[in-house]
């Protein structure tokens, strides 16, 4: 037991033997690094932090996750996680202020610890209950939030708080002449246009085309008008260190205030793992990588737990980067490790150029990323099954109005409800036989599904009943209690209850105290 | 909308300042040294400390927006607490009506301008954490000042008219004699001393690039530790000499030059 945990807790590097084509892996890592840089910067913005924290996240979370993990999944800065960090910490301190950063690190420590707890409790299975519709709904909702957040920078509004998105749209529209910065809007639109046109030519690297277009249009604007006129917001110099060690501040006051963060920590831990595991599971199905789900949970948890010690915030698996990685032929965690290294090198050399990156260009790419997360295909796909559509839409709409955290709770609640509804459905067939009535039960017999069975019992009062339990997948205590109760009633009326069971069920029923009122027939 | 965040903060600050005044009239606020020792600070005081750290070590704490090798406290001496050396206890003077753009300009804009010109960097956004922290620090320094009243020793002294034009040639002599030991013969600054010209100094749009402003500063404060030892005319001369030297261009006019400078730097 302990040994198996220990084996999971140490990096296995089992992929070394499969590392036939290390050139492919390194190239995939290089592309991954280029893709992650704009994401790290913009997601740091979503989390309310300075851009370098996002880059550290792209370096260290990716690195730890790949070193301890078993798959070619690219972990790192993640939209939903970043948005949730922002919503969690913003009530406690001003964006990017020292206290804010302390709380973000504290929150990430909690997230990592909770995820490790999931690992210890073999929690990877839980995530199978989250329906795919819920995950798509969450992703679409996050996309919507990203679009709204990107408007701040595209229009150069200073962050103002509105409760609902339509208020924000109303304020922007009604006060456009005063609020909107035309230079910023121009750069933002150039970026978005660049992205969508670029996609025609290169569906994989269009984000890079978008960023470049935005940067060049920013240079053009800066060439004609000076900054005091345009009031453009730039990325600025990024003081990147190669080893940004940092000891998170923990003291009584912080701990007391951080109780407010616990619900968010749980939500982030959950949503982060859910996304990572969906990715990993897909990889496992589509490729022949030797993937261990529990080990992936451990890797993600440990990466997030260590993140604050390296000045970075929590992350999770990234769909788009993993896909790019896969299509470039990477099959081992080595591509992730390479990507972490390339981010460091690239930032060191690109730093001076990035200084004059307009935030509007970054926000334009954010807009594209957000718009990509709301997929028509998904809606059409889920529209075929009503329950799925309800989950998808309810999740999406509650995120639009009440934020990501509430949306996640709604998604989980609905998924579990639909799941429960489904498995509490019994398949019952009634056949008259010479001694009375034969009832065949298919499905799981437990407290939620008993009501169904009770109905059938009551419509055959006064007859001998034979229940065929051979195709019943599960019997719980309340079902046994139910049989005992009914058999007693039936005995009083002079009829008998017979159960057709298999050996295992027989053991269980005897243990639960089935008496002679019930006739047990082993088949 | 731009200012709302800031006004909210100012309001908070005003509240924080007015409560002790109303209740316990004599009780001052904790000193920066005390705050630095405190293990836990609330949002306001942590921003004050952060602001203090930015002002005293801009290179380390706000390098994102800085383009030269100066710190705020190189000009705002003693972390902005010294009179006649551009003290920062001026929260009460803002927001200020400016006819030029028909807007009320808050302290935030002033701070951002010093980043753009004096620090030869880029203008941070209005709500950048660094700007908010510095404004918190400025509010902290301004405790006890009367709103709208000019604090004593604000800015630098205005030198009286000496009757002679500033003469850079005599200024050069003064510089080599009095200043070069600290600021270097090429104005490049020696270890621990800031440069006074060259590409690592303030640019041509900075307040210090104004001969009279710089002369006032130099007369009152330089040579460091021996202020007011120069005559008014010497201060004007040396200031005119400094003004003739190479420094980064004004970001408002030569875009191309600016770009080149950034590429070289």
């Amino acid at each position: 037991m302990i040994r198996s945990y220990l084996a999971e807790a140490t990096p296995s590097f089992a992929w070394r033997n499969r590392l036939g084509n290390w050139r492919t892996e390194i190239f995939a890592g290089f592309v991954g690094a280029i893709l992650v840089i704009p994401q790290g910067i913009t997601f740091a913005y979503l989390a309310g932090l300075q851009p370098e924290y996002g880059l550290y996240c792209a370096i260290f979370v990716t690195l730890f996750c790949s070193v301890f993990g078993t798959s070619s999944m690219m972990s790192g800065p993640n939209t939903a996680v970043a948005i949730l960090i922002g919503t969690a910490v913003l009530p406690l301190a001003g964006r990017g202020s020292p206290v804010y950063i302390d709380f973000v690190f504290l929150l990430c420590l909690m997230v990592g610890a909770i995820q490790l707890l999931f690992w210890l409790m073999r929690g990877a299975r839980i995530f199978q209950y989250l329906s795919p519709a819920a995950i798509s709904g969450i992703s679409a909702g996050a996309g919507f939030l990203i679009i709204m957040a990107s408007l701040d920078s595209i229009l150069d509004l200073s962050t103002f708080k509105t409760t609902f998105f339509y208020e924000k749209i109303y304020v922007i529209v009604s006060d456009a002449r005063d609020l909107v910065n035309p230079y910023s809007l121009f750069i933002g639109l150039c970026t978005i246009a660049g992205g969508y046109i670029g996609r025609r030519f290169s569906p994989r690297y269009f984000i890079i085309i978008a960023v470049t277009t935005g940067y060049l249009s920013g240079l053009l604007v800066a060439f004609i008008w000076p900054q005091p006129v345009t009031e453009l917001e730039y990325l600025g110099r990024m003081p990147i260190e190669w080893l940004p060690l940092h000891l998170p501040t923990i003291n009584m006051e912080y701990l007391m205030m951080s109780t407010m963060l616990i619900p968010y920590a749980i939500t982030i831990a959950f949503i982060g793992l859910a996304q990572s595991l969906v990715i990993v599971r897909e990889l496992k199905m589509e490729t022949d990588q030797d993937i261990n789900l529990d080990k992936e949970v451990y890797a993600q948890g440990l990466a997030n737990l260590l993140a604050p010690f390296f000045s970075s915030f929590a992350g999770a698996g990234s769909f788009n980067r993993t896909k790019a990685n896969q299509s470039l032929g990477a099959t081992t965690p080595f591509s992730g490790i390479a990507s972490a290294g390339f981010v460091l090198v690239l930032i060191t050399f690109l730093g001076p150029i990035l200084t004059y990156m307009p935030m509007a260009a970054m926000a334009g790419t954010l807009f594209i990323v957000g718009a990509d997360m709301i997929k028509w295909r998904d809606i059409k796909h889920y529209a075929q099954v009503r329950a799925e559509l309800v989950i998808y839409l309810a999740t999406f709409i509650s995120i639009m109005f009440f934020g990501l955290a509430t949306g996640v709770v709604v998604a989980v609640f609905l998924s579990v409800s639909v799941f429960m509804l489904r498995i509490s459905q019994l398949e019952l067939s009634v056949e008259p036989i010479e001694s009375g009535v034969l009832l065949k039960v298919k499905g799981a017999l437990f407290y939620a599904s008993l009501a169904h069975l009770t109905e059938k019992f009551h419509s055959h009062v006064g007859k001998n009943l034979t229940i065929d339990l051979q195709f019943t997948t599960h019997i719980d205590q309340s079902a046994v209690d139910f049989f005992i109760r009914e058999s007693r009633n039936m005995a009083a009326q002079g009829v008998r209850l017979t159960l057709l069971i298999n050996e295992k069920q027989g053991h269980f029923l005897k243990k639960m105290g089935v008496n002679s009122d019930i006739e047990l027939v082993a088949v | 909308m731009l200012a709302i965040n800031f006004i909210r903060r100012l309001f908070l600050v005003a509240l924080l300042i007015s409560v002790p005044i109303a209740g316990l009239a004599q009780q001052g606020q904790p000193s920066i040294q005390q705050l630095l020792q405190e293990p836990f600070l609330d949002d306001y005081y942590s921003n004050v400390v952060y602001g203090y750290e930015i002002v005293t070590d801009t290179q380390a704490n706000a390098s994102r927006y800085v383009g030269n090798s100066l710190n705020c406290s190189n000009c705002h001496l003693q972390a902005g607490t010294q009179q006649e050396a551009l003290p920062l206890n001026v929260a009460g003077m803002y927001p200020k009506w400016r006819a030029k753009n028909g807007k009320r300009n808050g302290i935030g804009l002033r701070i951002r301008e010093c980043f753009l010109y004096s620090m030869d960097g880029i203008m941070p956004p209005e709500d950048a954490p660094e700007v908010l922290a510095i404004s918190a620090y400025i509010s902290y320094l301004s405790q006890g000042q009367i709103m709208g009243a000019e604090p004593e020793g604000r800015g630098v002294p205005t030198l009286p008219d000496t009757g002679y034009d500033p003469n850079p040639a005599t200024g050069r002599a003064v510089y080599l004699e009095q200043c070069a030991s600290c600021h270097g013969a090429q104005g490049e600054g020696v270890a621990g001393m800031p440069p006074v010209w060259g590409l690592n100094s303030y640019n041509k749009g900075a307040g210090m690039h104004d001969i009279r402003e710089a002369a006032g500063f130099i007369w009152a404060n330089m040579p460091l530790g021996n202020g007011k030892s120069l005559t008014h005319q010497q201060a004007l001369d040396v200031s005119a000499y400094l003004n003739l030297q190479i420094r980064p261009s004004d970001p408002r006019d030569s875009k191309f030059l600016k770009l080149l400078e950034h590429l070289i730097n």
Side-chain angles (χ1 to χ4, degrees):
Chain A
M1 175 76 177
I2 289 180
R3 192 172 302 160
S4 79
Y5 274 116
L6 273 182
E8 268 173 37
T10 44
S12 69
F13 296 116
W15 43 266
R16 248 177 336 193
N17 314 327
R18 287 186 294 123
L19 196 64
N21 210 341
W22 56 272
R23 259 175 242 202
T24 319
E25 303 279 333
I26 287 188
F27 181 68
F30 180 71
V31 173
I34 292 183
L35 287 177
V36 79
I37 288 174
Q39 293 185 8
I41 291 169
T42 43
F43 294 174
Y45 177 81
L46 291 180
L49 290 167
Q50 283 83 343
E52 53 271 19
Y53 294 104
L55 296 173
Y56 289 143
C57 179
I59 299 168
F60 293 101
V61 173
T62 313
L63 178 69
F64 293 136
C65 224
S66 293
V67 167
F68 289 95
T70 53
S71 72
S72 67
M73 174 181 73
M74 285 282 202
S75 187
N78 174 288
T79 29
V81 171
I83 294 178
L84 280 171
I85 291 177
T87 20
V89 186
L90 210 55
L92 299 181
R95 277 173 76 90
S97 68
V99 178
Y100 186 93
I101 295 171
D102 284 343
F103 276 123
V104 169
F105 288 155
L106 209 59
L107 177 68
C108 297
L109 278 183
M110 291 199 250
V111 170
I114 293 172
Q115 291 179 332
L116 286 184
L117 220 61
F118 264 110
W119 166 67
L120 283 177
M121 301 186 315
R122 311 273 96 166
R125 265 174 241 104
I126 295 183
F127 296 98
Q128 289 159 358
Y129 299 111
L130 202 60
S131 90
I135 292 180
S136 303
I138 292 173
S139 149
F144 177 80
L145 296 184
I146 289 181
I147 291 179
M148 293 316 283
S150 74
L151 286 185
D152 281 354
S153 280
I154 292 181
L155 307 176
D156 194 18
L157 319 166
S158 66
T159 38
F160 60 80
K161 281 266 241 335
T162 40
T163 322
F164 293 119
F165 67 91
Y166 51 81
E167 283 180 59
K168 182 159 169 175
I169 294 177
Y170 175 78
V171 172
I172 294 173
V173 170
S174 64
D175 221 0
R177 286 182 80 222
D178 271 354
L179 277 181
V180 173
N181 178 338
Y183 307 99
S184 187
L185 180 61
F186 169 74
I187 297 173
L189 289 180
C190 282
T191 315
I192 296 173
Y196 281 116
I197 296 171
R199 179 176 299 189
R200 293 266 170 81
F201 302 104
S202 159
R204 204 172 300 137
Y205 308 124
F206 70 98
I207 284 285
I208 295 166
I209 299 178
V211 173
T212 317
T213 324
Y215 186 73
L216 293 180
S217 60
L219 278 192
L220 183 73
V221 169
F223 225 82
I224 307 176
W225 296 281
Q227 205 199 356
V229 174
T230 59
E231 293 249 329
L232 276 180
E233 193 176 319
Y234 290 105
L235 190 56
R237 225 162 289 262
M238 282 180 293
I240 289 283
E241 289 169 47
W242 283 56
L243 203 61
L245 291 180
H246 170 94
L247 211 57
T249 329
I250 296 180
N251 56 37
M252 247 0 250
E253 283 87 350
Y254 275 12
L255 287 182
M256 253 140 69
M257 278 170 85
S258 63
T259 47
M260 283 161 65
L261 296 176
I262 292 175
Y264 283 102
I266 296 174
T267 321
I268 296 175
F270 185 83
I271 196 77
L273 278 186
Q275 293 184 60
S276 301
L277 285 176
V278 167
I279 298 173
V280 173
R281 207 170 293 136
E282 244 170 56
L283 280 179
K284 198 170 175 166
M285 278 189 290
E286 289 172 10
T287 66
D288 56 352
Q289 296 180 35
D290 183 15
I291 293 175
N292 177 340
L293 287 191
D294 287 314
K295 211 166 155 92
E296 292 293 327
V297 174
Y298 169 77
Q300 189 62 65
L302 189 71
N304 289 344
L305 187 75
L306 290 179
F309 296 93
F310 295 86
S311 309
S312 72
F313 55 83
S318 154
F319 283 101
N320 54 35
R321 274 180 289 126
T322 308
K323 275 267 178 297
N325 202 24
Q326 199 182 342
S327 62
L328 287 172
T331 51
T332 70
F334 186 62
S335 52
I337 298 174
S339 153
F342 278 122
V343 173
L344 207 56
V345 175
L346 278 176
I347 284 296
T348 312
F349 288 108
L350 284 183
I353 296 175
L354 286 180
T355 307
Y356 293 94
M357 174 68 78
M359 282 314 275
M362 294 267 102
T365 63
L366 204 55
F367 183 94
I368 301 177
V369 170
D372 275 357
M373 289 168 78
I374 308 175
K375 295 194 193 88
W376 256 123
R377 198 156 31 91
D378 278 355
I379 302 176
K380 265 194 257 160
H381 179 66
Y382 294 119
Q384 286 157 6
V385 183
R386 194 158 42 128
E388 305 273 286
L389 187 68
V390 167
I391 295 183
Y392 182 88
L393 288 182
T395 309
F396 182 65
I397 290 171
S398 47
I399 290 175
M400 264 165 86
F401 284 91
F402 307 112
L404 199 50
T406 320
V408 172
V409 174
V410 168
V412 171
F413 178 77
L414 286 181
S415 302
V416 172
S417 317
V418 168
F419 174 75
M420 292 294 270
L421 267 180
R422 279 211 191 117
I423 66 158
S424 64
Q425 224 98 80
L426 286 179
E427 217 178 287
L428 295 175
S429 65
V430 187
E431 282 171 36
I433 48 171
E434 65 226 68
S435 66
V437 174
L438 172 68
L439 207 60
K440 283 187 178 157
V441 181
K442 262 191 203 165
L445 204 48
F446 68 114
Y447 53 89
S449 54
L450 276 180
H452 212 131
L453 195 64
T454 319
E455 266 170 46
K456 281 279 177 292
F457 263 72
H458 289 178
S459 58
H460 297 286
V461 181
K463 292 183 193 149
N464 283 325
L465 282 177
T466 309
I467 316 287
D468 186 351
L469 293 180
Q470 287 174 78
F471 301 105
T472 312
T473 46
H474 173 78
I475 300 179
D476 80 340
Q477 188 173 3
S478 55
V480 178
D481 290 345
F482 168 80
F483 285 133
I484 295 177
R485 211 166 44 238
E486 286 296 323
S487 68
R488 211 170 286 142
N489 290 347
M490 288 164 77
Q493 290 166 7
V495 288
R496 280 194 75 77
L497 175 65
T498 314
L499 298 181
L500 303 180
I501 51 175
N502 61 29
E503 200 179 329
K504 214 171 120 209
Q505 289 167 338
H507 283 305
F508 182 69
L509 289 174
K510 295 234 174 66
K511 205 172 80 193
M512 299 316 295
V514 168
N515 55 8
S516 56
D517 286 341
I518 303 180
E519 192 175 331
L520 297 178
V521 180
V523 284
Chain B
M1 229 51 226
L2 271 175
I4 280 214
N5 227 350
F6 177 65
I7 289 174
R8 210 183 52 206
R9 233 156 231 277
L10 257 194
F11 181 71
L12 204 92
V13 168
L15 211 78
L16 269 163
I17 293 176
S18 63
V19 165
I21 291 178
L24 314 139
Q26 297 310 313
Q27 194 181 2
Q29 51 187 0
S31 71
I32 288 287
Q33 292 315 318
Q34 277 169 326
L35 287 177
L36 281 174
Q37 254 132 52
E38 207 68 31
F40 173 79
L41 295 170
D42 62 12
D43 197 18
Y44 170 64
Y45 278 123
S46 69
N47 267 303
V48 168
V49 168
Y50 186 33
Y52 166 81
E53 282 165 351
I54 293 174
V55 167
T56 49
D57 194 353
T58 324
Q59 294 299 325
N61 296 306
S63 58
R64 181 177 322 288
Y65 304 113
V66 175
N68 59 21
S69 63
L70 296 183
N71 295 313
C72 306
S73 61
N74 287 154
C75 300
H76 302 279
L77 297 187
Q78 305 295 331
T81 57
Q82 189 168 317
Q83 288 191 0
E84 303 199 323
L86 303 160
L88 291 176
N89 56 351
V90 291
M93 305 302 298
Y94 295 86
K96 187 160 64 174
W97 182 264
R98 224 199 230 176
K100 203 166 80 185
N101 55 8
K103 278 190 185 154
R104 289 163 78 72
N105 292 308
I107 188 81
L109 181 64
R110 194 67 196 77
I111 295 168
R112 298 161 66 210
E113 284 175 349
C114 256
F115 271 109
L116 183 63
Y117 303 115
S118 299
M119 310 299 288
D120 188 36
I122 50 184
M123 218 168 175
E126 183 88 30
D127 56 353
E130 289 87 353
V131 173
L132 295 178
I134 296 173
S135 27
Y137 177 61
I138 290 179
S139 308
Y140 165 88
L141 289 183
S142 312
Q143 198 210 22
Q145 302 289 339
I146 298 161
M147 281 292 271
E150 187 111 344
E152 203 180 322
R154 177 173 184 213
V156 297
T158 323
L159 300 187
D161 205 344
T162 52
Y164 297 95
D165 276 346
N167 181 348
T170 19
R172 182 182 142 85
V174 177
Y175 182 83
L176 290 177
E177 190 186 321
Q178 304 257 12
C179 322
S181 56
C182 288
H183 291 292
Q186 298 305 315
E188 74 283 4
V190 293
M193 309 286 164
V196 283
W197 72 78
L199 288 183
N200 267 328
S201 191
Y202 52 90
N203 66 38
K204 289 184 178 158
M208 207 52 104
H209 191 61
D210 180 89
I211 295 189
R212 302 215 142 253
E213 185 88 16
F217 176 84
I218 291 167
W219 178 75
N221 305 297
M222 290 291 144
L224 196 72
N226 195 14
K228 304 198 177 165
S229 61
L230 302 178
T231 65
H232 291 167
Q233 187 59 43
Q234 276 176 318
L236 280 168
D237 291 347
V238 76
S239 150
Y241 174 67
L242 293 188
N243 248 23
L244 283 181
Q245 308 303 322
I246 299 176
R247 57 179 75 254
S249 62
D250 188 333
R252 280 167 301 193
D253 33 54
S254 50
K255 262 80 67 183
F256 187 65
L257 215 62
K258 207 74 211 160
L259 203 72
L260 269 184
E261 273 166 21
H262 285 307
L263 288 181
I264 294 168
N265 243 348

